[in-house]
Amino acid sequence: MTSSCLTAALVALAAGRAEAAEVPGQDKAATAETDTQRTADPGAIVVTGTRIQRLNYKAAAPILSVSARDIAAQAPVNIEEVLNRLPQIAPDSQQNYQDSDGRQRIKLRNLGFERTLTLVDGKRLGTMNGADANMIPVALVQRVDVLTGGASAVYGSDAVAGVVNFILKHDFEGVQLNANYGFYNHNNRETVTTRAARDYGFPVPRGMTTDGGRGDFSLTAGHGFFNGALQLVGFVDYRWSDRVPNVARDFAACGLTDADPKDPGCSASSYSKNGTIVVQGGPAKGKTFVNNPDGSGTFVPYGTGPGLAANRYEQTELQRRDRRINAGGFATLTLSPALELYADLLWYQDRSYRVSPPVAYSYSAFDDSKDKPYVISCDNPFLTASQATTLCGADAGRADVTIPLDVKYRLALPQQEEQYTRNGFRLSAGVRGEIAQGWRYDVGTVYAYNRSTYVADSYSDPARLRRALDVVLVNGTPTCRAKRDGIDEACVPFNAFKAGNSDVAAYHYMANRMDGRFYSSTSLTDVLATLQGDLGRYGIVSPFARQSVAVALGAEFRRDTFKDWADARFRMVSGGSDRFLSQHVWEGNVEVQAPLVEDKLYVKQLRLDAGYRVSKYSGIGGGFKTWKLEAIYAPVSDISFRASINKAERAPTVIEISQAKRISYAREVMNDICAPTPALDPADKSKTIYTPPKASLEMCHAQGVPDNMYGSKDLLCPEEGCTLRYGALSVEPEDAITKSFGVVLTPSLLPGLSLSVDRWMIQINNAIGFNYGSFFMQRCLEIKSDFYCSKIVRNPDGTLSSPLTGSPSRGFVDAGTTNFYTSISRGIDFQAQLAHGIGKIGKIDVSFAGTLMTFAGGQEASTLPRSNCVGYMNCQLMPRWTHGLRTGFTTRDGHFSVSFNWRYVGSLTNSRNSGRPELGWEAGKERKTFYRIAPQNYFDLWTGVTVAKRLTLSLAINNLFDKSPPILPYAYDVGLSRSNTLPQRYDALGRNIVFSTGLKF
């Protein structure tokens, strides 16, 4: 690495995919400056953080760069895996996130993907709502630049936390084939989860398992024609991953509940695989039965044990089944120095699958039937004599006596698949060139379109299930009464009183063999023009500097759209209405780079940079101004000091505006803080007990709960959840002041050594955020602020359940997007690299990158104290310290390389044990168990060989020692995971073994 590197060190993340175009161990420093030095054509330069493209440019803001070689050494199936190991980026493992649609969006400093701008060759990837970084071809990434801090003055809104810029290889020459296949290997052991699952009668995994196969095949071809005047590159890439369910891992054998922290139980579903019958009339009124799993035709009480309650999250995915194709190409035609035409196309199609069981749903699961129990007659031919007597008593066998009841049945049929299909493209085209000496222009456009299709699983129609349960004998054959009477000729009777029912025809009838479909699409139209020039020819140069002042002028127009729509089946189940949202912005900006002093005593370099942008948005009825000031000072070539300050601003996206202002209703499963708290009876886990409400009588009374309803079970949310009201909030732009200062050391006495330290500070004012009703409920309990408690709007009887139709004015919790007070993120980045030759043997290289978080949190109201969530898992998932350290060796001829990587993730503690009231701590209410995750260490091994300079072979073993992830019963509350751990932060699937090969012609 040269003394001109931007941030000194690369994060070398060992784990291996060898790329035929790269000789393992070849020293390729990945910095913007180094690459610009090698580029002959200034028009092809891509510099992150500025629109001014100059050779030998040193950035005044900290930029971490990851090279193609570092990427190849990870064996990544997608770009997500490359980014997740960078300490600057909050891990976001979409393939392990059960509720994901599969898009990969990047979150710098854990400040949200809306505040991180993703670029490809310096231009936007797509809309903030629809961009998918996984459409970027891994094999054609030249480097990835990660810029910390606001960059709105250069790139416009959204660049609040920083910028991630993917610079692609547009001059690829030849034909290259890459193949990459890997799988996971884990030894399932006895854990607290397996013990709980066994107590409930659920099967548990034991011993060594190998699963989760993943692969990636790519073909890339490129060639220059007419002496390089025309450059064409094309690629196609196919990726896949196989499904891994929760029950395949010891820590996720069942979804742990946190009701008894000392002895966690399993989250059980009343939708039994043998059928659950909830009796609501007759002699057995109020009792809940399960069809006897032994098939004897009797009832047994509902509870835990083999064949009774179902394992609620057994089929939830730790890794989803996925199939993806990426394709595209680049074209550059140089007609003259003044005229160069360029066009880039990225295209993708992705199908991701999530399974769910085929279920006969409770009548209460649907608003239009929630007060209409199912009914059977006491002569129902599916009832055995024992069952009929239990339900009807002395009236068993009578056709004129009916019993109201509820049915909850998880049928013994193959799992259904919900399908997420996403396809889209990004087209970038334009013209650039030199219009006069020292002046260059670039006029281009980006059009990005993404479409998502969600195919829901089949839902049982309550009206059809009602008819399927009402059965009579016709010529000795059980027949739907509705069919006998000519009301519904298609009706198929359903035997809800048979254990292990696998009647496909009955299920298809009640589910109507229809899958609801939900569609959404986003588009970005971005037209931008840049004119940059060197003012030296006009004499605008410092008398103490060699380089003259440079300037860039820009104008930009962007239009974002979002559209969603659904078929009637989906709307029947999920409600909602179609939307079309749009906003546009006009912007103008200017940048100046002013070298003040160069090559003087004690001043090797002194430069000031400045930028200013004006933005006017249609969606917010106004605009804002952003700016930047940066400086770099190098007393000698061995040391540089740098500093920057930016005023960044972000307009709410079209989705955020809609979430804040568009009224709609939905449901969320939550615990009403004024209702009793359900818990398992420690003495008999088949029973549920109720502990006092979490909120005080005074707090609940202030919310409008009648005194006689405090602690009443009538306040418990229905099984399908309490009501949420979206759209009763307001949202405005947020602004941020970001600062950074640091030092870069490249001592000439120690060639090959590079060190950097950068302090960065980001404060976002009027921060935009989205939260569900449970957030406001919990914050009301913990902070007792009217800002939160006012979002709880109760019915006169204190309940929080209302119909989703008819625009209810009470009986809900507000949710959606609004402005909060302040978000803050601060820390220090440390980077280092050392390359050292060992005579004729080869060389060793050591790379290090670490981040010390000093503040992550904010201030939710002016009357509240700031909350620093660093190191607290249920506040921010940001450890105080994370790092990666790689040591590698490469032979002198470059034919063999090996590297060993150490990844460290610092400890995390539950904020209830923080001792800080602003984080929700209360004396005497600290957690006694599962309150701390210890520091985690992971080790990775990679080795690669090159054969005949064309063929490369490599082996990577990530998580070499098969370290199990930490178990956390409340992982969903912390990281939206149903797997009792945090797969976005920790290696969840075990040891990952990857074989790779590359062949280039």
Side-chain angles (χ1 to χ4, degrees):
M1 183 169 289
T2 70
S3 63
S4 58
C5 75
L6 293 175
T7 56
L10 306 175
V11 180
L13 307 164
R17 166 178 170 170
E19 189 175 332
E22 301 285 350
V23 177
Q26 181 179 348
D27 187 12
K28 293 186 66 176
T31 70
E33 180 183 4
T34 305
D35 281 304
T36 63
Q37 289 175 325
R38 284 197 297 262
T39 303
D41 177 17
I45 297 172
V46 179
V47 180
T48 301
T50 180
R51 296 291 189 189
I52 299 174
Q53 301 172 350
R54 299 183 102 172
L55 297 174
N56 304 315
Y57 171 79
K58 282 187 177 182
I63 299 176
L64 169 71
S65 293
V66 181
S67 71
R69 176 173 169 251
D70 293 307
I71 294 171
Q74 284 183 239
V77 171
N78 51 54
I79 208 70
E80 172 183 85
E81 297 175 8
V82 176
L83 300 174
N84 278 350
R85 292 188 179 182
L86 301 181
Q88 291 85 351
I89 292 176
D92 185 29
S93 185
Q94 292 295 311
Q95 65 180 356
N96 304 122
Y97 171 37
Q98 295 88 1
D99 298 326
S100 166
D101 63 2
R103 285 177 296 170
Q104 169 58 27
R105 296 176 288 183
I106 302 166
K107 295 186 292 186
L108 270 171
R109 308 302 183 185
N110 205 36
L111 288 173
F113 69 85
E114 302 92 346
R115 299 184 181 101
T116 301
L117 184 59
T118 304
L119 307 174
V120 176
D121 294 323
K123 297 180 181 179
R124 290 175 179 249
L125 174 64
T127 69
M128 298 305 295
N129 295 307
D132 182 1
N134 278 332
M135 72 187 297
I136 296 171
V138 176
L140 284 173
V141 174
Q142 179 172 303
R143 73 177 193 271
V144 184
D145 289 346
V146 180
L147 167 67
T148 292
S152 295
V154 178
Y155 298 110
S157 181
D158 310 324
V160 174
V163 167
V164 178
N165 190 10
F166 295 89
I167 292 87
L168 304 183
K169 302 174 185 175
H170 292 263
D171 56 352
F172 182 88
E173 189 72 28
V175 177
Q176 181 171 305
L177 295 170
N178 285 331
N180 181 7
Y181 176 73
F183 54 87
Y184 290 95
N185 176 250
H186 178 66
N187 184 21
N188 287 301
R189 308 169 180 88
E190 185 75 359
T191 67
V192 63
T193 312
T194 57
R195 290 192 293 272
R198 196 175 292 109
D199 289 344
Y200 277 69
F202 300 151
V204 298
R206 291 302 303 270
M208 190 66 69
T209 184
T210 298
D211 55 17
R214 304 189 308 159
D216 176 19
F217 294 101
S218 67
L219 169 64
T220 305
H223 186 61
F225 301 88
F226 311 113
N227 294 321
L230 175 63
Q231 181 71 40
L232 299 177
V233 178
F235 71 92
V236 62
D237 179 41
Y238 176 70
R239 313 173 192 170
W240 83 93
S241 60
D242 294 336
R243 179 174 176 270
V244 180
N246 272 349
V247 291
R249 292 297 183 270
D250 45 22
F251 59 86
C254 72
L256 292 177
T257 62
D258 200 31
D260 182 1
K262 294 182 180 180
D263 188 15
C266 289
S267 180
S269 170
S270 57
Y271 285 86
S272 171
K273 295 180 180 180
N274 291 301
T276 301
I277 308 298
V278 183
V279 188
Q280 300 183 355
K285 181 180 179 179
K287 295 184 177 180
T288 301
F289 299 110
V290 175
N291 296 311
N292 198 321
D294 65 8
S296 62
T298 59
F299 288 135
V300 294
Y302 172 79
T304 60
L308 301 181
N311 189 344
R312 185 184 298 272
Y313 301 117
E314 64 180 348
Q315 293 301 324
T316 298
E317 290 87 353
L318 270 167
Q319 177 174 283
R320 285 164 61 165
R321 186 167 76 92
D322 185 86
R323 303 292 184 267
R324 185 182 187 100
I325 299 176
N326 284 353
F330 316 134
T332 305
L333 176 61
T334 304
L335 300 177
S336 72
L339 184 61
E340 180 181 290
L341 308 178
Y342 61 90
D344 303 339
L345 175 65
L346 303 177
W347 174 90
Y348 74 96
Q349 182 180 82
D350 182 86
R351 286 192 173 93
S352 180
Y353 303 87
R354 183 178 69 175
V355 305
S356 62
V359 168
Y361 278 100
S362 162
Y363 68 85
S364 64
F366 304 92
D367 280 335
D368 57 357
S369 67
K370 63 183 303 181
D371 299 320
K372 302 174 184 178
Y374 300 129
V375 176
I376 65 163
S377 62
C378 287
D379 69 339
N380 187 303
F382 287 139
L383 288 172
T384 66
S386 172
Q387 291 171 329
T389 300
T390 300
L391 296 180
C392 303
D395 293 324
R398 292 183 56 177
D400 59 338
V401 178
T402 59
I403 301 295
L405 48 73
D406 199 1
V407 172
K408 302 178 180 181
Y409 211 128
R410 181 182 294 193
L411 280 76
L413 293 171
Q415 299 289 315
Q416 302 180 122
E417 282 192 326
E418 296 178 335
Q419 178 177 302
Y420 297 83
T421 300
R422 292 174 296 106
N423 53 73
F425 66 91
R426 176 188 181 272
L427 175 64
S428 174
V431 57
R432 63 195 174 204
E434 185 175 5
I435 57 174
Q437 185 177 356
W439 288 91
R440 298 191 60 84
Y441 73 94
D442 189 332
V443 179
T445 184
V446 173
Y447 181 77
Y449 176 84
N450 298 275
R451 171 170 167 159
S452 298
T453 302
Y454 166 60
V455 181
D457 55 8
S458 297
Y459 291 89
S460 60
D461 184 329
R464 285 179 169 247
L465 179 53
R466 194 180 311 280
R467 293 194 291 270
L469 290 170
D470 187 9
V471 182
V472 296
L473 283 177
V474 176
N475 298 323
T477 301
T479 305
C480 296
R481 189 186 305 272
K483 182 175 183 178
R484 186 198 67 180
D485 297 343
I487 297 172
D488 184 353
E489 291 293 334
C491 183
V492 177
F494 175 55
N495 187 356
F497 309 103
K498 173 185 177 182
N501 192 315
S502 58
D503 191 333
V504 175
Y507 180 72
H508 281 174
Y509 166 74
M510 70 178 87
N512 206 20
R513 304 185 67 176
M514 292 176 61
D515 295 327
R517 293 174 181 263
F518 177 81
Y519 308 89
S520 67
S521 67
T522 64
S523 71
L524 167 71
T525 302
D526 187 7
V527 181
L528 63 163
T530 301
L531 176 66
Q532 59 171 307
D534 189 324
L535 303 183
R537 64 178 301 182
Y538 308 105
I540 304 177
V541 58
S542 167
F544 308 106
R546 291 180 294 99
Q547 295 190 90
S548 59
V549 175
V551 64
L553 305 173
E556 188 167 357
F557 170 81
R558 292 194 306 276
R559 183 173 185 262
D560 291 296
T561 70
F562 174 85
K563 179 182 179 181
D564 66 12
W565 65 102
D567 61 15
R569 180 70 176 173
F570 185 90
R571 292 297 186 211
M572 183 195 78
V573 175
S574 302
S577 58
D578 298 349
R579 292 182 293 176
F580 178 78
L581 311 172
S582 174
Q583 75 170 337
H584 64 265
V585 57
W586 291 93
E587 295 183 308
N589 73 295
V590 60
E591 279 189 82
V592 177
Q593 286 181 6
L596 301 181
V597 183
E598 293 177 306
D599 299 323
K600 305 298 181 184
L601 184 64
Y602 304 124
V603 186
K604 180 67 176 177
Q605 182 185 36
L606 175 62
R607 192 187 77 227
L608 296 180
D609 300 342
Y612 186 80
R613 178 177 289 254
V614 178
S615 305
K616 185 175 181 180
Y617 277 83
S618 64
I620 58 176
F624 46 76
K625 302 174 179 64
T626 56
W627 49 264
K628 73 168 185 175
L629 291 173
E630 300 175 339
I632 185 167
Y633 167 60
V636 294
S637 59
D638 292 6
I639 183 170
S640 298
F641 300 95
R642 56 193 180 188
S644 68
I645 180 170
N646 289 262
K647 180 185 182 292
E649 199 142 347
R650 184 176 77 86
T653 67
V654 292
I655 291 290
E656 290 171 327
I657 294 172
S658 175
Q659 289 171 338
K661 298 181 178 181
R662 186 171 181 265
I663 299 291
S664 64
Y665 297 86
R667 303 237 181 243
E668 181 187 359
V669 177
M670 68 177 84
N671 293 323
D672 189 333
I673 58 177
C674 295
T677 305
L680 293 178
D681 187 343
D684 184 354
K685 289 188 176 181
S686 66
K687 297 180 180 179
T688 299
I689 61 175
Y690 293 90
T691 59
K694 294 181 179 179
S696 67
L697 175 62
E698 293 75 19
M699 174 179 283
C700 295
H701 183 76
Q703 294 178 21
V705 176
D707 291 349
N708 65 327
M709 289 290 288
Y710 176 72
S712 170
K713 293 181 182 179
D714 292 335
L715 292 182
L716 291 169
C717 291
E719 185 171 342
E720 65 273 18
C722 281
T723 304
L724 298 183
R725 180 180 68 172
Y726 295 113
L729 307 171
S730 62
V731 64
E732 299 174 353
E734 64 183 22
D735 64 87
I737 296 295
T738 70
K739 306 171 186 176
S740 68
F741 54 88
V743 59
V744 180
L745 302 175
T746 53
S748 55
L749 293 178
L750 295 172
L753 175 64
S754 180
L755 306 167
S756 71
V757 180
D758 287 283
R759 169 71 163 162
W760 48 269
M761 296 163 285
I762 302 172
Q763 178 167 320
I764 303 170
N765 302 311
N766 211 25
I768 300 170
F770 175 89
N771 280 295
Y772 289 100
S774 56
F775 169 83
F776 291 104
M777 178 84 71
Q778 187 65 23
R779 280 299 196 230
C780 174
L781 173 67
E782 295 174 347
I783 301 178
K784 303 174 179 63
S785 166
D786 186 62
F787 177 81
Y788 300 104
C789 296
S790 64
K791 305 300 187 291
I792 304 171
V793 185
R794 296 184 180 272
N795 287 316
D797 62 358
T799 59
L800 290 171
S801 181
S802 296
L804 300 186
T805 57
S807 300
S809 60
R810 306 191 67 83
F812 50 75
V813 182
D814 277 324
T817 296
T818 189
N819 293 95
F820 295 85
Y821 195 62
T822 300
S823 292
I824 301 172
S825 185
R826 298 173 184 163
I828 305 173
D829 287 340
F830 301 85
Q831 299 173 47
Q833 184 175 35
L834 173 65
H836 182 69
I838 313 176
K840 297 182 179 181
I841 300 176
K843 71 168 185 177
I844 60 171
D845 58 89
V846 180
S847 303
F848 174 84
T851 294
L852 175 68
M853 290 293 299
T854 59
F855 200 105
Q859 190 173 3
E860 295 181 357
S862 60
T863 58
L864 298 175
R866 288 184 173 182
S867 56
N868 186 357
C869 298
V870 171
Y872 296 108
M873 66 181 79
N874 53 331
C875 180
Q876 289 254 2
L877 203 58
M878 297 296 291
R880 185 167 297 277
W881 176 257
T882 57
H883 76 239
L885 172 64
R886 183 194 69 167
T887 300
F889 169 76
T890 304
T891 58
R892 186 179 181 183
D893 58 11
H895 290 171
F896 173 77
S897 294
V898 63
S899 65
F900 188 76
N901 188 52
W902 170 30
R903 292 179 281 135
Y904 177 90
V905 181
S907 65
L908 291 169
T909 302
N910 191 293
S911 62
R912 287 168 55 181
N913 295 61
S914 65
R916 300 178 182 178
E918 69 272 18
L919 299 183
W921 168 82
E922 292 184 56
K925 294 188 177 181
E926 298 89 348
R927 291 188 60 94
K928 305 300 182 185
T929 58
F930 299 106
Y931 63 86
R932 183 177 184 271
I933 296 177
Q936 305 290 304
N937 294 278
Y938 297 98
F939 299 96
D940 312 315
L941 179 66
W942 174 83
T943 184
V945 297
T946 300
V947 181
K949 297 184 179 181
R950 294 184 180 273
L951 176 66
T952 59
L953 304 171
S954 69
L955 168 67
I957 307 177
N958 300 315
N959 191 5
L960 180 63
F961 301 111
D962 186 26
K963 185 177 181 61
S964 295
I967 293 177
L968 198 67
Y970 49 95
Y972 190 82
D973 297 333
V974 174
L976 298 177
S977 169
R978 299 292 189 187
S979 304
N980 305 320
T981 193
L982 305 172
Q984 67 269 56
R985 175 59 72 180
Y986 305 105
D987 289 24
L989 290 166
R991 183 185 296 111
N992 178 221
I993 302 173
V994 186
F995 300 94
S996 304
T997 184
L999 182 63
K1000 185 174 182 181
F1001 304 94

